[in-house]
Amino acid sequence: MRAGVVFVQGAAPEHVQALHGAFDTLGIKGTVAQVRKRKDLDDLDCLIIPGGESTTISKLLLRFDLADEIRRMAADGVPIMGTCAGCVLLSKQGDEQVARTQTELLGLMDMQVDRNAFGRQRESFETSLRVEGLNEPFPAVFIRAPLIKKVWGGCRPLAKHGDDIVMARQENLLALSFHPELSGDTRLHQMLLKMI
Ligand code: GLN
């Protein structure tokens, strides 16, 4: 199995480690590609778009000719997980900050995000989240996190923090407003691998 992590900016190395942990737990022989250019996307079974700075990542996805190929992979059914900034980029609608910074979203999931929604209140926090599909709560790390303001169409919520949606799925696409790679718990990386 060959997983890829978009490696242009942000919290990418931690996802590589988490993927290897998930491979081990599931007893899968797998490799992880560091995606920096168009060719690195070839033959991937799944892809992670990490957290970081969504405006910067979106610009680099365009500059390195990755955005359209990622859209094509999504349409082909390749499982893709976007975390934090990656969650912002997967969505179809942003907020005024996304508009003001002219961030070009990948526009793949039927959801609207509010960028830095939690960041304004508390820069960073960890909480125990109930996630659909997991038996035990997940230790979720939020860092200047977006929230998923609404979902429609084929997108459905998988986790909430209070009333706020913080994880959603649409077919082969998973969006998480938190950082699953930072808590040493690989169950959500396993969830992505099981979607293959
Ligand atoms: N606030 C960042 C953004 O929207 C995301 C933060 C993160 O990925 N940890 O670009």
Side-chain angles (χ1 to χ4, degrees), residues 50-55 83-86 88 115-116 143-146 177 179:
E53 214 280 320
S54 49
T55 304
T83 65
C84 205
V88 173
R115 200 180 149 180
N116 295 328
I143 304 170
R144 289 180 61 77
S177 67
H179 284 257

Side-chain angles (χ1 to χ4, degrees), residues 8 13-14 25 31 60 93 106 137 139 155 172 179 187 190 196:
V8 296
E14 295 83 356
T25 306
T31 56
L60 295 174
Q93 280 180 28
L106 291 167
C155 189
N172 51 315
H179 284 257
R187 284 177 295 160
Q190 293 174 46
I196 297 172

